Amino acid sequence: MRTRIALVLLALFLMAGNALAKDVVFAVDATYPPMEMIDADKNIVGFGPEVVVAMGKAGGFNPILKNTAWDGIFAGLASGKYDAIASSVSITDERKQNMDFSDPYFEVKQGVIVPKGSGIASVADLAGKTVASQMGTTGYFLCKKIEGATAKSYDEIGLAVEDLYNGRIDAVIADDAVASNYALQHEQYSQKLTLAFLIAPESPEYLGFAVNKGNKEIVDLINSSLAAIKASGEYDKIYAKWFGA
Ligand code: ARG
């Protein structure tokens, strides 16, 4: 009898939970500190996840973060494995042909990390060098455009930085928030590496949450909850926590 009551209560509880909050699944390539990463307890943390969690509270939805490799992350969205991507995705015209984006939630420039004392101080200095980034990112597209440089791609930006640290490549390009985290803040890497310069700082990239083309329901939910946390000051709090005021 008691078990039956317990089961009925459990069922009611689950139904109420579902009715209260809609699940929205976000794919996160959590290899991109401090934007999105895994902490010591294997939780997905970082600036992006915190923004998403705050948006869920403000917008009355239940965000589910799904750790997903960057390679294939767009294909997974198209095949319906999740509702959105929260992985520091730069809003580009090419990507807009295949997916829709929320309003921007962050601005980045591409930063170039080099070994201290390398003498590399401009794009021209990268000629003849091996320049790397994470595959299929805007940073990697830049690597391929640099005159005279050899572009190299890695599955994760951390692996590129590791190779740079070990002297196997000459430079790494990444979103500046991530580049400066490795080059200026990281306990080990910052001893040897530095952020040399930003490429085209006058034309920044804007990060958005990607959704499938025409998925107005999710994009509207994301945009209204993003606007809500900007208006309430919650967004600024999260920003200050990760990047300083
Ligand atoms: N902003 C860059 C782009 O969209 C890099 C994003 C990489 N994100 C990640 N979580 N690994 O191409």
Side-chain angles (χ1 to χ4, degrees):
M1 188 59 189
R2 257 206 220 146
T3 2
R4 212 183 294 166
I5 292 174
L7 281 175
V8 168
L9 285 176
L10 179 66
L12 284 174
F13 175 76
L14 289 175
M15 278 155 59
N18 278 341
L20 287 177
K22 171 190 168 56
D23 286 349
V24 179
V25 184
F26 290 82
V28 181
D29 169 25
T31 65
Y32 210 58
M35 299 304 287
E36 42 267 340
M37 60 207 174
I38 300 285
D39 72 6
D41 301 322
K42 304 242 156 74
N43 297 311
I44 299 178
V45 296
F47 173 75
E50 271 186 31
V51 166
V52 170
V53 168
M55 285 184 344
K57 270 190 201 135
F61 64 87
N62 179 32
I64 296 175
L65 304 175
K66 189 170 177 179
N67 201 3
T68 306
W70 179 260
D71 186 17
I73 206 166
F74 296 116
L77 178 69
S79 66
K81 287 194 185 140
Y82 24 83
D83 301 300
I85 304 175
S87 282
S88 303
V89 181
S90 300
I91 303 170
T92 66
D93 289 340
E94 283 87 354
R95 288 176 181 158
K96 273 201 227 160
Q97 295 179 359
N98 302 312
M99 62 197 89
D100 287 344
F101 282 97
S102 70
D103 294 332
Y105 68 95
F106 199 73
E107 180 185 314
V108 299
K109 292 154 189 169
Q110 294 302 311
V112 181
I113 315 175
V114 300
K116 283 183 181 168
S118 71
I120 297 172
S122 70
V123 176
D125 295 335
L126 292 172
K129 309 281 187 205
T130 299
V131 187
S133 191
Q134 186 179 24
M135 56 144 59
T137 61
T138 49
Y140 183 62
F141 302 148
L142 270 176
C143 291
K144 287 199 289 186
K145 276 201 210 144
I146 294 168
E147 201 90 28
T150 304
K152 186 163 182 192
S153 72
Y154 289 81
D155 285 345
E156 298 172 10
I157 200 70
L159 300 173
V161 175
E162 179 79 20
D163 263 9
L164 180 64
Y165 181 81
N166 290 317
R168 296 197 188 96
I169 54 177
D170 302 299
V172 167
I173 301 182
D175 295 346
D176 57 351
V178 173
S180 52
N181 191 259
Y182 279 117
L184 307 177
Q185 272 135 318
H186 192 282
E187 211 184 305
Q188 176 193 349
Y189 296 146
S190 61
Q191 292 173 23
K192 259 204 208 176
L193 307 177
T194 191
L195 181 64
F197 62 96
L198 302 174
I199 297 181
E202 70 288 352
S203 45
E205 296 173 15
Y206 295 95
L207 310 185
F209 301 105
V211 303
N212 275 320
K213 259 208 167 312
N215 192 347
K216 203 170 141 36
E217 189 200 345
I218 297 295
V219 117
D220 287 351
L221 187 60
I222 290 175
N223 284 341
S224 61
S225 51
L226 181 60
I229 64 167
K230 283 192 173 169
S232 70
E234 188 62 25
Y235 177 94
D236 290 341
K237 261 198 229 157
I238 300 170
Y239 187 97
K241 173 180 164 187
W242 290 94
F243 304 110

